[in-house]
Amino acid sequence: MYTFSSKLKTFSFVLMAVGLLGIGYGFLTAPKDIQDVEKILAADAHGSHHEASSESEGAHAVSAEAKVKAEHTEHLTHVLHQLENKPWSALYVACIFFMLLSMGTLVFYAIQQVAQAGWSPVLFRVMQGITAYLPVGSVIFFVFLVLCGLHFNHLFIWLDPEVVAHDKIIANKAGYLNFPFWIVRAAIFLLGWNAYRYFSRKNCLAQDESDDNSFYKKNFNISAMFLVFFIVTESIMSWDWIMSIDPHWSSTLFGWYVFASFFVSGITMIAMVTVYLKSRGYLENVNTSHIHDLAKFMFGISVFWTYLWFSQFMLIWYANIPEEITYFVTRIQVYNLPFFGAVVMNFLFPVLILINTDFKRITWILVMAGIVILLGHYVDFFNMIMPGTVGGSWFIGISEIASVSFFLGLFIFVVFSALTKVPLLPKRNPYIEESKHFHY
Amino acid sequence: MSNRVIYAIYNDDDILMDAVKKTRAAHHHIEEVFTPFPVHGLDKAMGLAPTRLAICAFIYGLCGLSFGTWMMNFIMIQDWPQDIGGKPSFSYIDNMPAFVPIMFEETVFFAAHLMVITFYMRSRLWPFKEAENPDVRTTDDHFLMEVAVNNNEEELISFFEGTGAVEVKVIDKH
């Protein structure tokens, strides 16, 4: 049995407290009206707010002077909306990142079940511990989506009837992008995923006490069904929660791209938690071969993410169709460092460091690579969400760091609390003996 | 001075592995082991040094990447920077996404082929090479360990007979 070290518990509480304070600070200091924005812009004289004009088409033909004034006001309103969105977006990125990270772990777990992998059963309880964050994260995330629908923020501009009325492109998508349908979809997806997690863990524990393999077989079946359900819902989820932030843009491989991003984060988190528990002496049956296998997955799926990142980017860059290229124009011009930095962190670094067989077994190298991969995929989600919500007003400041800190603290608390509930080694999984003696 | 060797022949890979371990423990020098298929862990038991083929492949890959980059830069940017369908050919980085598929394939091509050729050269394999089977059965269902004899013929024969060999032969090698 694992006991939650009091140091780690305190650490998670500190992270949550610091995060909450920072999140509160972010909301309190967000500008309330365009007078505030004017002051901010004046203080920020070198301000780099020169993005393309806003999409509202309400400009009336008036005299030149009035027009300049109107344009100035329009600009201020535009920046105001971005700055109002900033603390919300920061919260959203961190919230969806940690929730999907535990989803990535859940998918990896389901795949291991269905593939009847002989190496991973000793890690099943670690994976179940990580996915314990899923119900908590889902509730927070769902509340966040409801708040979006109640117009507490402007992250999803298609939720604003005023915008839809003046935007034919969005109006044409209203059959899909409307609040009731959207929130019901979200509820179904989250319920489906959480139901799988709940029953899979329950069966796994029941299998420990049973005297035949019926619960194992049950888990096999529900895992296979979950994977089918997941791949459909994952695709729709990526359109609903991420792509609809830019409702004028679409990409067909977006779902896979988002999947690769949180799948590799989930696998990396399994490796990180495993290495931590191992270093505390809790996983006696886990050897360097298990770690090596996880590192291979981190390496391979990092490359897979890059493949999708590049395929999406290169196809749009090559054809250069105006409707689609704006997505990348914003990212390259306004988010240059995060956009290309994500490729360095998620591809170049892990590929060069994890290509070596010996390195994949060295704890500190693996932890370093894991931290870079996790940060890199946070930046990846940042790149997907921020340009559509805060545009040129982005910054990784107090709001962003505090949001990550809060959700990281919550994640650590929930995951390690869940790990204390049950033994870390499944008792009668049919592959547990093979897994204990796994050697590569 | 004749060059005499012992051929200890086995018909089971588990027995062979045990025999290899015993031979190493008795400090007899194993010249070679012939098997019909890869025996997992045999190289470790024999104490062979790990292969460096993967390191070669990595370096070859870097060569391929450099070659691809150099080639596309010379042809498309330096030599004749035409405007082809509005693609920016002002500098390499401007048009780089279009070159990535080539850079990738060159990397894989160089890494794979040069590594294979390295393998052939290091293992001395080529067409029309004379096969080196000490015993034809070693390609089918027998395992053969070759150990050099240094004036200890009797001792070696009895040693290998004790390791479960189905046949122990002493051969004059030229």
Side-chain angles (χ1 to χ4, degrees):
Chain A
M1 286 296 260
Y2 172 68
T3 44
F4 200 162
S5 92
S6 62
K7 257 192 210 161
L8 193 64
K9 200 179 252 175
T10 316
F11 179 61
S12 71
F13 283 133
V14 169
L15 279 178
M16 277 191 270
V18 169
L20 275 180
L21 285 177
I23 292 169
Y25 174 83
F27 278 106
L28 289 177
T29 51
K32 302 284 172 295
D33 49 37
I34 56 174
Q35 275 75 36
D36 289 351
V37 176
E38 198 139 33
K39 272 180 227 150
I40 293 172
L41 289 186
D44 197 27
H46 59 87
S48 53
H49 309 286
H50 50 68
E51 60 284 341
S53 64
S54 70
E55 281 145 14
S56 70
E57 290 155 15
H60 305 287
V62 279
S63 68
E65 207 174 301
K67 201 177 166 191
V68 168
K69 200 160 183 293
E71 266 176 12
H72 184 59
T73 315
E74 198 181 298
H75 172 64
L76 290 180
T77 317
H78 181 59
V79 176
L80 172 68
H81 285 158
Q82 293 185 338
L83 291 175
E84 278 175 342
N85 268 342
K86 204 169 162 287
W88 286 101
S89 304
L91 207 57
Y92 188 65
V93 173
C95 183
I96 197 171
F97 175 72
F98 278 99
M99 187 194 65
L100 289 183
L101 184 151
S102 67
M103 260 320 277
T105 305
L106 189 66
V107 177
F108 188 74
Y109 169 77
I111 291 173
Q112 296 299 311
Q113 299 265 358
V114 171
Q116 308 185 6
W119 66 278
S120 52
V122 291
L123 299 173
F124 278 176
R125 291 287 151 83
V126 176
M127 299 183 205
Q128 287 168 357
I130 295 173
T131 55
Y133 178 76
L134 187 63
V136 181
S138 302
V139 169
I140 299 175
F141 183 76
F142 191 75
V143 169
F144 194 101
L145 293 188
V146 171
L147 290 183
C148 294
L150 297 177
H151 307 297
F152 278 82
N153 58 57
H154 295 91
L155 294 194
F156 299 90
I157 55 164
W158 56 267
L159 278 171
D160 187 345
E162 192 67 11
V163 171
V164 180
H166 292 98
D167 191 321
K168 273 194 182 155
I169 296 176
I170 299 180
N172 280 335
K173 295 183 181 181
Y176 182 77
L177 287 181
N178 60 73
F179 179 66
F181 191 24
W182 181 71
I183 203 74
V184 167
R185 283 198 301 267
I188 293 171
F189 300 168
L190 293 172
L191 283 175
W193 300 345
N194 278 293
Y196 168 68
R197 195 208 85 86
Y198 175 77
F199 288 111
S200 171
R201 180 180 162 92
K202 204 175 148 200
N203 287 339
C204 186
L205 296 177
Q207 170 73 19
D208 269 9
E209 307 305 326
S210 114
D211 41 15
D212 62 4
N213 283 338
S214 58
F215 287 106
Y216 171 79
K217 284 174 187 158
K218 226 177 252 175
N219 251 0
F220 180 93
N221 291 333
I222 64 170
S223 299
M225 288 189 289
F226 163 73
L227 286 173
V228 175
F229 176 75
F230 168 77
I231 203 59
V232 176
T233 53
E234 191 276 336
S235 206
I236 303 173
M237 166 281 274
S238 73
W239 311 331
D240 281 6
W241 301 343
I242 301 176
M243 200 156 80
S244 78
I245 287 198
D246 301 277
H248 284 194
W249 180 78
S250 60
S251 162
T252 43
L253 64 65
F254 195 72
W256 278 107
Y257 169 66
V258 173
F259 168 65
S261 188
F262 69 76
F263 192 46
V264 69
S265 308
I267 295 168
T268 307
M269 192 49 92
I270 299 172
M272 298 288 101
V273 175
T274 305
V275 163
Y276 171 79
L277 291 174
K278 176 83 187 156
S279 75
R280 298 285 141 146
Y282 285 108
L283 295 169
E284 54 172 328
N285 291 300
V286 172
N287 56 41
T288 53
S289 293
H290 295 101
I291 308 282
H292 186 214
D293 262 32
L294 285 171
K296 275 191 281 189
F297 272 108
M298 283 161 63
F299 174 85
I301 310 293
S302 284
V303 176
F304 178 63
W305 173 87
T306 316
Y307 168 64
L308 294 174
W309 178 91
F310 181 72
S311 301
Q312 177 169 280
F313 170 66
M314 197 262 241
L315 280 178
I316 291 176
W317 172 87
Y318 208 107
N320 205 19
I321 300 172
E323 291 92 332
E324 292 181 351
I325 196 69
T326 48
Y327 185 83
F328 287 111
V329 169
T330 319
R331 277 153 184 82
I332 290 173
Q333 288 179 352
V334 189
Y335 288 74
N336 196 287
L337 183 64
F339 186 63
F340 292 110
V343 184
V344 174
M345 291 168 87
N346 295 335
F347 173 64
L348 219 51
F349 185 79
V351 157
L352 290 179
I353 204 121
L354 290 180
I355 199 165
N356 188 308
T357 303
D358 297 329
F359 283 7
K360 285 195 268 261
R361 293 166 187 264
I362 302 174
T363 307
W364 70 268
I365 289 183
L366 192 69
V367 170
M368 184 175 63
I371 289 171
V372 172
I373 290 175
L374 288 174
L375 286 176
H377 286 282
Y378 169 77
V379 175
D380 187 30
F381 274 88
F382 187 88
N383 287 336
M384 284 192 258
I385 288 159
M386 288 291 179
T389 56
V390 304
S393 308
W394 73 276
F395 188 66
I396 297 194
I398 290 173
S399 287
E400 286 75 9
I401 295 169
S403 302
V404 172
S405 156
F406 172 74
F407 282 103
L408 179 64
L410 185 67
F411 181 84
I412 292 176
F413 179 72
V414 172
V415 167
F416 285 89
S417 300
L419 286 170
T420 60
K421 302 270 163 59
V422 289
L424 288 175
L425 187 70
K427 244 183 275 169
R428 7 181 358 271
N429 183 297
Y431 292 95
I432 196 71
E433 274 313 305
E434 182 181 341
S435 179
K436 279 182 195 169
H437 301 108
F438 173 68
H439 171 75
Y440 169 74
Chain B
M1 181 65 201
S2 68
N3 198 3
R4 290 167 76 78
V5 291
I6 288 229
Y7 283 168
I9 299 177
Y10 303 86
N11 57 8
D12 187 289
D13 49 341
D14 286 335
I15 300 171
L16 172 79
M17 284 289 281
D18 284 343
V20 166
K21 280 170 195 157
K22 278 182 201 156
T23 314
R24 290 255 296 162
H27 297 293
H28 298 304
H29 178 68
I30 303 173
E31 298 274 341
E32 193 64 89
V33 176
F34 295 86
T35 65
F37 54 78
V39 178
H40 186 74
L42 183 62
D43 52 340
K44 279 219 178 77
M46 286 171 70
L48 298 181
T51 173
R52 291 166 293 179
L53 209 51
I55 299 169
C56 290
F58 185 76
I59 294 166
Y60 298 148
L62 290 183
C63 293
L65 182 63
S66 314
F67 175 73
T69 310
W70 170 81
M71 179 175 73
M72 300 315 293
N73 183 54
F74 177 72
I75 298 173
M76 302 302 290
I77 309 293
Q78 304 295 329
D79 192 36
W80 200 326
Q82 287 187 96
D83 182 339
I84 302 168
K87 285 276 163 292
S89 49
F90 309 108
S91 74
Y92 192 75
I93 201 75
D94 275 339
N95 209 0
M96 191 203 162
F99 303 145
V100 166
I102 295 146
M103 290 153 70
F104 170 77
E105 293 294 348
E106 290 285 3
T107 309
V108 176
F109 179 84
F110 273 59
H113 288 81
L114 292 180
M115 173 175 70
V116 168
I117 293 167
T118 307
F119 168 72
Y120 285 154
M121 286 166 64
R122 289 290 290 158
S123 350
R124 305 208 167 81
L125 284 174
W126 58 85
F128 312 113
K129 176 199 164 81
E130 206 168 320
E132 293 168 357
N133 293 342
D135 189 312
V136 286
R137 290 172 298 171
T138 59
T139 64
D140 182 15
D141 61 350
H142 280 65
F143 305 80
L144 186 150
M145 181 166 24
E146 181 183 319
V147 176
V149 176
N150 307 302
N151 304 321
N152 54 353
E153 203 175 305
E154 304 306 315
E155 183 205 332
L156 274 183
I157 291 174
S158 63
F159 175 80
F160 282 111
E161 273 165 354
T163 59
V166 291
E167 207 178 307
V168 180
K169 291 194 283 191
V170 184
I171 302 280
D172 262 321
K173 234 187 168 182
H174 305 293

